[in-house]
Amino acid sequence: MQPDLLPDLLASWPDNLSGLSAFEVGLSGGLDSMVLLSLLVRARQYRPQLQISAVHVHHGLSDHAEAWVQHCQSVCTNWDVPLRVARVSVNRAAPQGVEAHARLLRYQAYAQASAQVMVLAQHQDDQAETVLLQLLRGGGVKALAGMPACRSLAGLVLWRPLLAYSRQQLEQYAALFQLRWVEDDSNIDTRYRRNMLRHCVMPLLAEHLPAYRQHIVRTAWHMSQASALIDEVVAADLAQGRRGHGFDVASLLALSEVRQGFVLLAWLHEQGVGAVAPDRVQEFLRQLRCAAEQSQPSLVVREVVVLRYRGNLHVFRLREGLQSQFMQPALMEQVHEQRVPSWGGCLRWERRGGISPDVLERGFYLSPRRGGELLLQPAGRRQVKKLLQEAGIPPLLRKQWPLLSDADGKLLALPGVAVSSECYDPDGYWPEWLPEQ
């Protein structure tokens, strides 16, 4: 391929970007981003509608950081490119590591662009490193697809036009157009895994398998195709099984075991549940398949729990230290709802027989269970514990299921389960407890 990459870049310009004009380049000042900015500045001659700007993210991690800003400012001034400098504060003690935290902040800065397209300079060598890193981490199909050439980012299009070119090709282009760039001294620190691969592993691969980059990138393409196909199948399965915030267990278990795993992970992601180890997902699915209908398999992920409840899977937040709260509903309608943020749920009232309106007018307390409570029923006093069990409330939810009591501490109701015979009125209000999901 000829050293000048512009003809090939113009010929392969993505169709989905053809109608867009405002492009912002992520400019570190290094070789890759300098080549990218040069290409887009030159592309203005052939695409007059292009409005090119740049953003430099100042991480504050290097003693040379201010010099890099000055370099970027000088280049952008010479090329008539507006420059935005985003200063971020990287936590050197971040649990995910300095590199990961810096990347998070960098992409947050990119997302603040006023342009339509954010353009980044990752190239073929970067893609090969990314795929190998994901492989070493045990990544799945989506992870092994590497970096996509185009994706959305906070309402922007994120475009990586250099993924088809090696670093050597970028160096040849930079020599042809006499570009100047800065060198990040952290890029030679082999304590970082990517640098270890770049300086210790990749040269050895190149010596024995000169075309390793193309082979790895081809594998990434196959993985991206497989990932897209999986996403299509999973989307259809999700649409079939969604039940409001829940997911129908019967629909899930009707799928093959392989599809069950993908669908459950996708649904958990929709519900905002963080990463879950594959073996835990598979064990939870095994319990769902094997457990009796009345049993309550659960999957606890940090502060939330995934439960089978009344035929559907639900995600509930685990709460501790619940306190009694006085309430007085304005029951003027057939159906009335009261959100209780401190309890993470909602009291829903329906006028279909329940607590007497006279009793509710005096107000009541939403209280946590202490143990040993009894509720008067037509057949005598029943243990609250037993009533919850018979109602099929999962054990983890029973611990944070509220009680309704009057000012004297007399138990009025177990929401969604039973109302005390002492305050029952055929024209009264039935309380239903809806935990937030």
Side-chain angles (χ1 to χ4, degrees), residues 43-336:
R44 292 186 297 198
Q45 304 171 37
Y46 306 92
R47 289 179 168 265
Q49 80 278 12
L50 282 182
Q51 302 167 27
I52 306 301
S53 61
V55 55
H56 176 82
V57 181
H58 184 300
H59 298 93
L61 294 174
S62 171
D63 294 337
H64 308 294
E66 288 299 332
W68 297 342
V69 172
Q70 293 172 12
H71 168 75
C72 293
Q73 288 173 333
S74 174
V75 170
C76 287
T77 299
N78 291 337
W79 289 351
D80 192 24
V81 173
L83 175 67
R84 174 170 67 98
V85 178
R87 297 178 182 270
V88 300
S89 179
V90 180
N91 181 4
R92 295 176 183 270
Q96 68 268 47
V98 174
E99 281 184 301
H101 190 230
R103 182 182 184 278
L104 173 66
L105 296 177
R106 189 162 57 249
Y107 276 78
Q108 288 177 353
Y110 294 157
Q112 296 170 3
S114 58
Q116 298 164 300
V117 183
M118 173 57 59
V119 197
L120 302 183
Q122 287 96 347
H123 49 72
Q124 193 177 73
D125 292 60
D126 294 325
Q127 182 76 301
E129 292 166 5
T130 296
V131 174
L132 280 179
L133 282 170
Q134 293 295 349
L135 181 64
L136 294 172
R137 292 168 182 155
V141 173
K142 191 179 292 292
L144 296 180
M147 298 175 285
C150 282
R151 71 172 178 89
S152 60
L153 174 69
L156 305 171
V157 177
L158 192 151
W159 181 33
R160 298 182 176 96
L162 303 184
L163 288 178
Y165 310 115
S166 67
R167 178 178 173 86
Q168 183 180 26
Q169 289 174 289
L170 303 192
E171 291 172 343
Q172 292 170 349
Y173 176 94
L176 178 65
F177 290 92
Q178 299 181 333
L179 301 182
R180 295 180 300 108
W181 64 88
V182 300
E183 294 286 357
D184 185 346
D185 48 329
S186 69
N187 287 337
I188 61 174
D189 188 346
T190 55
R191 289 177 300 174
Y192 299 123
R193 289 182 183 177
R194 184 177 290 272
N195 290 342
M196 179 274 294
L197 285 178
R198 182 176 300 165
H199 298 294
C200 303
V201 176
M202 299 309 204
L204 190 62
L205 284 176
E207 180 181 345
H208 295 277
L209 299 165
Y212 80 89
R213 299 174 187 83
Q214 293 90 329
H215 295 164
I216 293 176
V217 169
R218 186 186 308 148
T219 294
W221 181 84
H222 286 305
M223 292 295 103
S224 71
Q225 296 296 294
S227 180
L229 180 59
I230 290 170
D231 288 346
E232 287 184 17
V233 174
V234 168
D237 291 339
L238 285 172
Q240 185 71 25
R242 286 192 194 94
R243 300 293 185 270
H245 291 293
F247 197 89
D248 180 50
V249 173
S251 296
L252 179 66
L253 298 184
L255 304 173
S256 68
E257 293 187 10
V258 171
R259 283 167 69 177
Q260 289 173 17
F262 280 106
V263 171
L264 179 57
L265 282 172
W267 180 73
L268 291 175
H269 179 73
E270 282 187 348
Q271 302 303 308
V273 179
V276 188
D279 57 336
R280 296 192 63 207
V281 171
Q282 292 304 318
E283 173 59 21
F284 179 59
L285 286 169
R286 186 196 67 78
Q287 291 179 20
L288 284 177
R289 289 191 293 264
C290 300
E293 184 66 29
Q294 64 273 19
S295 66
Q296 305 292 343
S298 62
L299 173 64
V300 177
V301 185
R302 291 172 288 280
E303 73 282 0
V304 301
V305 59
V306 186
L307 297 167
R308 177 172 66 185
Y309 178 47
R310 296 180 178 174
N312 293 328
L313 290 181
H314 294 277
V315 176
F316 298 106
R317 187 168 297 277
L318 295 172
R319 296 179 178 272
E320 296 180 357
L322 295 169
Q323 302 293 322
S324 295
Q325 180 172 338
F326 181 75
M327 302 182 68
Q328 195 159 14
L331 300 171
M332 303 296 293
E333 306 167 357
Q334 288 297 110
V335 177
H336 176 74

Side-chain angles (χ1 to χ4, degrees), residues 9-20 23 47 117 150 157 159:
L9 178 65
L10 292 172
S12 59
W13 200 275
D15 292 339
N16 63 316
L17 302 183
S18 295
L20 304 179
F23 288 60
R47 289 179 168 265
V117 183
C150 282
V157 177
W159 181 33

